[in-house]
Amino acid sequence: MTRLSSFGAALLLGVVFATVLAAQRGPARDITNVAGDVYRARNGAWATIFYVTPGGIILGDPINTAFSTWLKEQLAQRFKVPVRYVVYSHSHFDHAEGGAVFADTATFVAHENMLRNMDGRYPHMPGDMLDRNDNGVIDPDEIDIPTKTRPGVCGWGPGFFTTWDHNKDGKVAPAELQRDIRRPDIVYSERMRLTLGGRVVDLMHPGLNHSDDATVMYFPAERVVFATEFLADALVTTNIRSLPSACGPYDGNPLSEWIKSYRAVEALDFDILAAGHGTGLFRKADVATTREFFQDLIAAVTAGVKEGKSLEDLEKTILLEKYKDWAQYERLRVYNIRSAYQNLKAYRQAFD
Ligand SMILES: [Zn+2]
């Protein structure tokens, strides 16, 4: 089979094995086959990955306690082997909760920066949620400002404090936010190999991007990669051609690190990209497409600044026409120019 037709077969098998088990309330959940013994499990707009080996299961993100409880039952019924490893894609609360469900049989693995994000200080957060007043706890403004400025894209919804303010004091301490995140048992710095039941999964830290503690899972025998938001953020559904959310100058990490992250993934030998968001599966070429968007944006902003244009001028004149058919083009073009400008200025990469 050619790579293209094996990709098509994987998609078809995914459809055949899909078991939509939506609860009466709550997010739609399903399990689909990706390739070989690699499966994807979905919780609404969030997704994780798992690998079934004769020695047990290697699982990606637990996502949250309700999902993990459901998943544990599904895995026990279908595969009859325990989860031996849980691998965190990054430490953000909306992907990393719920691991305690698997703690009776699993070892937890993450990039070493996850320990910094769980040391009691304000952790790295998605969606421009920052410690704006530098008091070490999450205050209502720190959720409301990005949420109200960029509704449906950055921040969180009104349910943030209802969900995470466990002691109801009107603020969320890092320990409250992370109450349901199980700390990793093993951390690594650049790369790590997991072997189980004669099978192999390679873990790679690609660099700084949407988070500062990302892990990419690579399944070499199945030619599959699992990675979360830097490759496909929460706005992506079936098509990866979607303008980035561009929250808080690209999550406070230099664009050069984002590009490095894409290049690190592109250096892996694989066919299928299973992302942490989106209902579809993507291909290796999609990673290059996303990288090229960032490179074109950086080039346009840098050239405009060198011509002496103000940010306001850049927002009016950089049309990114090559990307006008991408999802979110109308809504997010200007924000991407603004974020790139602020990012490049903050890290002094383009303007010197
Ligand atoms: Zn995240």
Side-chain angles (χ1 to χ4, degrees):
M1 268 199 294
T2 64
R3 282 187 191 175
L4 188 64
S5 67
S6 67
F7 179 77
L11 288 180
L12 188 67
L13 281 170
V15 172
V16 172
F17 288 133
T19 313
V20 179
L21 293 159
Q24 292 299 317
R25 285 168 295 162
R29 292 177 179 145
D30 60 29
I31 292 172
T32 51
N33 183 254
V34 177
D37 294 313
V38 176
Y39 296 81
R40 194 175 193 224
R42 198 169 59 88
N43 188 55
W46 278 253
T48 187
I49 199 100
F50 65 89
Y51 193 24
V52 182
T53 85
I57 289 169
I58 300 174
L59 171 67
D61 291 318
I63 301 180
N64 63 42
T65 302
F67 171 75
S68 277
T69 304
W70 171 83
L71 183 62
K72 189 175 188 177
E73 287 170 15
Q74 294 293 314
L75 297 178
Q77 282 171 23
R78 294 178 188 211
F79 303 105
K80 308 197 185 335
V81 285
V83 171
R84 290 294 182 201
Y85 289 99
V86 173
V87 179
Y88 291 115
S89 70
H90 63 308
S91 63
H92 291 165
F93 60 93
D94 60 322
H95 294 262
E97 284 189 350
V101 167
F102 302 106
D104 56 339
T105 57
T107 299
F108 291 70
V109 186
H111 182 259
E112 61 185 2
N113 289 355
M114 185 163 175
L115 294 179
R116 148 69 188 94
N117 281 312
M118 292 189 74
D119 71 0
R121 285 178 286 171
Y122 205 99
H124 186 278
M125 299 266 282
D128 198 26
M129 293 182 274
L130 302 171
D131 192 6
R132 287 177 157 78
N133 62 3
D134 208 25
N135 69 348
V137 299
I138 301 160
D139 301 296
D141 262 2
E142 291 162 6
I143 307 302
D144 289 351
I145 290 171
T147 305
K148 287 176 180 161
T149 315
R150 310 277 312 280
V153 180
C154 305
W156 200 258
F160 185 92
F161 283 86
T162 316
T163 308
W164 286 284
D165 183 11
H166 299 297
N167 67 4
K168 307 288 169 211
D169 67 349
K171 49 189 185 287
V172 172
E176 276 179 286
L177 178 73
Q178 297 171 342
R179 187 191 70 176
D180 297 330
I181 301 178
R182 197 182 183 287
R183 194 174 292 276
D185 304 305
I186 300 173
V187 295
Y188 73 98
S189 56
E190 289 172 22
R191 285 172 189 260
M192 180 175 171
R193 171 164 282 190
L194 293 178
T195 52
L196 183 66
R199 309 293 184 85
V200 168
V201 181
D202 285 324
L203 312 184
M204 173 182 75
H205 175 60
L208 308 177
N209 40 63
H210 161 83
S211 68
D212 60 12
D213 52 11
T215 288
V216 171
M217 295 174 80
Y218 172 45
F219 305 87
E222 290 74 17
R223 305 179 60 80
V224 172
V225 159
F226 174 73
T228 51
E229 275 133 304
F230 70 101
L231 293 173
D233 70 20
L235 299 177
V236 170
T237 54
T238 54
N239 193 336
I240 208 166
R241 288 166 182 76
S242 176
L243 259 63
S245 302
C247 297
Y250 300 112
D251 302 295
N253 288 313
L255 279 168
S256 58
E257 282 283 325
W258 283 75
I259 301 291
K260 180 185 146 198
S261 300
Y262 295 122
R263 296 258 189 225
V265 174
E266 289 175 69
L268 300 172
D269 188 17
F270 71 102
D271 299 320
I272 301 172
L273 166 64
H277 289 291
T279 47
L281 293 172
F282 306 117
R283 299 180 202 191
K284 182 174 181 178
D286 293 326
V287 180
T289 303
T290 312
R291 167 178 53 77
E292 285 161 12
F293 168 80
F294 275 103
Q295 288 176 316
D296 287 342
L297 176 66
I298 292 166
V301 171
T302 303
V305 168
K306 287 194 171 142
E307 287 166 21
K309 286 183 178 160
S310 65
L311 174 58
E312 211 179 0
D313 284 345
L314 298 176
E315 289 174 4
K316 281 181 197 143
T317 55
I318 297 176
L319 299 179
L320 299 168
E321 273 158 352
K322 189 172 151 191
Y323 301 97
K324 67 179 190 308
D325 296 332
W326 283 31
Q328 313 293 341
Y329 173 83
E330 295 295 337
R331 188 186 188 194
L332 298 181
R333 179 187 63 86
V334 165
Y335 288 108
N336 273 277
I337 293 162
R338 199 173 295 169
S339 287
Y341 177 87
Q342 291 163 350
N343 189 294
L344 294 169
K345 200 172 165 187
Y347 302 106
R348 301 191 67 77
Q349 287 170 344
F351 303 156
D352 288 341

